Amino acid sequence: MSSRDVDVLVAGGGGFIGGHLVADLLKQGLSVRAVDIKPQSEWYQVHPDAENAVADLSLRDNAFTHTAGAREVYMLAADMGGMGFIENNKAACMLTVLTSTHMLEAAREHDVERYFYSSSACVYAADKQTDPSVTALKESDAYPALPEDGYGWEKLFSERMARHFLEDFGLQTRVARYHNVYGPQGTWTGGREKAPAATCRKIAEAVVSGNHEIDIWGDGEQTRSFMYVDDCVKGSQMVLRGDSSIPVNVGSSELISINDLYSMVEEFAGITCKRNYQLDAPQGVRGRNSDNTLIQEIYGWEPSITLKEGMEKTYRWVYDQVKKSRG
């Protein structure tokens, strides 16, 4: 690995959000080091202009080695996926705490100027998310703590750790709570994909196969908001560069039911499918939406790309992947 200094280290740079973030940072003329545990052949995007490294950042030595010389750090690295993965891999999700811990220690050791931690709406108390007509979640709703088991607990703990590294050591930590990020160049099959990509894949497969019948997890009445990846990339940089260390929602406030999400994608595809509801499948909380009052107050901004616009781009991309995969 080159020992030269870089403007930005993106931990998890081979991931879905990481790939888009690296692209945007390079476009700004910044020097970027992207590090990911996956072999490069499995990275969602590989940018030749970045310094790309394969390493397990949960190992302390690797975290220290790859953080050396970085001015800013985006800590996106995590073992995660959609609801099916999260509900069935709680221990694996909790073990990300090693990456979170070692990256904070490394950032402190190497005098990193700014450290961004990507948290999640999964930190919010489950008892506030029991109704599809959910009241949008404010940042204060994370306490008293009752987050998503496994993944949510790790995120909330690591948020606190980032806060204490700021208070005790002066490391300038910033925290964003992502709400359901989606878009092209992401996971669309294999079990770790989230609802928007899974929806696009099922409809695309129905188009390609001619079998207009799909399975939906739950009764389809559960609600979510989904943020297009370009808004996520913009919001993350805004939070990193901002003056506020308060964890803030970075998510769309456009609420939709899963049934309506399928109807939207069916419209793009020009088909209607028979729906088989799998009531015993993982479906997470009943309703979740982002209250954007705080991000508007602090940054004068909120994610604005409409679900229809983002989902249409995502569907076109996923459709192409489905076609390619079928030869």
Side-chain angles (χ1 to χ4, degrees):
M1 189 196 77
S2 160
S3 61
R4 67 183 173 81
D5 288 354
V6 290
D7 294 317
V8 189
L9 162 64
V10 179
F16 162 50
I17 297 170
H20 284 275
L21 177 61
V22 170
D24 195 68
L25 294 167
L26 288 169
K27 208 184 292 176
Q28 296 171 44
L30 297 169
S31 56
V32 181
R33 179 180 300 148
V35 183
D36 205 282
I37 192 171
K38 296 184 291 292
Q40 264 191 40
S41 59
E42 292 175 23
W43 287 27
Y44 293 99
Q45 299 181 55
V46 178
H47 300 283
D49 291 344
E51 181 187 310
N52 299 304
V54 174
D56 180 355
L57 295 173
S58 73
L59 303 176
R60 194 172 186 273
D61 286 354
N62 285 349
F64 274 64
T65 297
H66 292 281
T67 304
R71 188 167 52 83
E72 298 175 343
V73 170
Y74 286 89
M75 218 308 267
L76 309 178
D79 199 356
M80 58 88 68
M83 194 44 63
F85 179 83
I86 286 172
E87 287 200 3
N88 294 306
N89 296 274
K90 295 186 178 80
C93 290
M94 290 295 281
L95 282 170
T96 297
V97 75
L98 295 171
T99 313
S100 301
T101 304
H102 294 146
M103 287 300 295
L104 274 168
E105 287 189 314
R108 179 196 172 203
E109 172 70 22
H110 292 301
D111 295 320
V112 163
E113 289 174 21
R114 294 267 166 147
Y115 182 96
F116 173 90
Y117 178 64
S118 62
S119 186
S120 163
C122 287
V123 302
Y124 287 116
D127 61 0
K128 295 185 188 293
Q129 304 174 72
T130 55
D131 188 330
S133 307
V134 65
T135 303
L137 293 159
K138 304 189 299 291
E139 284 76 3
S140 57
D141 289 333
Y143 296 95
L146 189 64
E148 182 84 43
D149 209 3
Y151 179 72
W153 275 109
E154 192 279 326
K155 287 294 188 186
L156 194 60
F157 177 83
S158 294
E159 273 193 15
R160 298 291 291 198
M161 198 159 39
R163 170 180 156 180
H164 297 315
F165 266 68
L166 171 63
E167 292 167 346
D168 294 0
F169 308 127
L171 176 63
Q172 288 301 311
T173 56
R174 301 289 184 265
V175 175
R177 292 175 181 159
Y178 290 162
H179 287 248
N180 295 312
V181 187
Y182 74 97
Q185 308 288 341
T187 307
W188 60 276
T189 190
R192 289 188 187 234
E193 67 278 16
K194 296 188 175 183
T199 303
C200 291
R201 187 196 73 244
K202 289 175 190 178
I203 300 295
E205 285 173 344
V207 171
V208 172
S209 70
N211 175 18
H212 295 179
E213 192 168 334
I214 55 173
D215 294 331
I216 294 178
W217 287 6
D219 62 4
E221 293 305 309
Q222 62 270 39
T223 55
R224 294 290 186 278
S225 68
F226 299 101
M227 170 174 52
Y228 192 65
V229 66
D230 290 2
D231 272 337
C232 177
V233 165
K234 183 174 182 179
S236 300
Q237 293 177 67
M238 201 174 281
V239 171
L240 173 106
R241 290 168 189 156
D243 296 327
S244 172
S245 61
I246 303 167
V248 65
N249 284 331
V250 177
S252 167
S253 56
E254 185 184 347
L255 192 69
I256 191 169
S257 72
I258 297 299
N259 277 329
D260 286 345
L261 188 68
Y262 275 93
S263 297
M264 180 187 282
V265 179
E266 282 176 335
E267 217 171 278
F268 302 148
I271 64 168
T272 306
C273 294
K274 178 179 184 291
R275 300 178 181 190
N276 302 317
Y277 293 101
Q278 300 180 316
L279 301 181
D280 57 347
Q283 50 189 295
V285 295
R286 198 67 183 137
R288 175 182 291 153
N289 197 10
S290 179
D291 183 317
N292 288 344
T293 308
L294 190 62
I295 194 169
Q296 287 173 323
E297 275 176 17
I298 298 174
Y299 301 98
W301 178 86
E302 68 172 321
S304 61
I305 296 167
T306 66
L307 188 59
K308 191 169 184 186
E309 183 189 342
M311 281 299 287
E312 187 155 16
K313 288 178 182 169
T314 306
Y315 174 71
R316 302 294 170 215
W317 182 81
V318 172
Y319 176 82
D320 288 345
Q321 307 314 304
V322 170
K323 285 276 281 189
K324 271 186 226 160
S325 71
R326 291 180 173 237

